[in-house]
Amino acid sequence: LSVLEEGISQYPQNFGMLSTAINCCIEQKDDAGVQRYLTKALALRPNDEQLLRMQGKLYEDNQEFDKALDAYVKLNVLDPNRLSTMEHIALNYYNLGVINFNKVSLQDRESDAQLYSAQADAYFGSAVNYLEHIISTNPTSVKYLQALAVSYDCLGKVREFDMTNQKLANLGAATVEANVTP
């Protein structure tokens, strides 16, 4: 890796060395190194789907859901309607919705609580759009049905929540309780 670092400093446009450095860091479980070389590689190839997937996954692993969402949205533009990409987009929107939903109760000022509530609603609304599409493709996916039920509950969509819980029950899966903090 130190030899690669020296080579990359002399030849920063050499994608092969960057790619090898990324793989070395992955083998060493060095996320910071992966990110450093991945940033350089993406500067050279901003539309490389493999690099974007790697970037999105790295951000997800570090719970940087907003950055992960950006990577997967860009991937979706490059390769529209790929189910695996849509799943990541849905879950990142969902996770951002959960984070903002949970921040509402921690706020002392009403204006801050309203801001987080509006952000949670926007994220859950976006998650629902993707989750509904995923469920239409894979109607027995318990994980996505449960995320959809939680999203509906947080948005106050009682009818949709009940229907999704019914689908979960029909599959023999655990249903989602109403009004529970996600």
Side-chain angles (χ1 to χ4, degrees), residues 20-30 34:
T20 304
I22 290 169
N23 289 330
C24 285
C25 291
I26 290 171
E27 287 176 19
Q28 294 176 1
K29 298 184 184 342
D30 176 8
V34 172

Side-chain angles (χ1 to χ4, degrees), residues 81-142:
N81 300 320
R82 177 179 261 184
L83 186 60
S84 63
T85 302
M86 294 179 84
E87 289 170 346
H88 283 280
I89 291 171
L91 292 179
N92 284 300
Y93 274 129
Y94 174 83
N95 285 326
L96 288 165
V98 168
I99 289 168
N100 283 280
F101 185 89
N102 290 332
K103 285 182 179 179
V104 171
S105 63
L106 302 174
Q107 302 309 307
D108 294 330
R109 294 184 359 206
E110 181 63 27
S111 61
D112 291 340
Q114 288 175 348
L115 175 67
Y116 284 117
S117 180
Q119 288 175 335
D121 286 353
Y123 285 130
F124 280 126
S126 295
V128 162
N129 292 333
Y130 285 93
L131 290 167
E132 286 175 343
H133 179 76
I134 292 164
I135 296 305
S136 72
T137 304
N138 186 3
T140 60
S141 176
V142 171

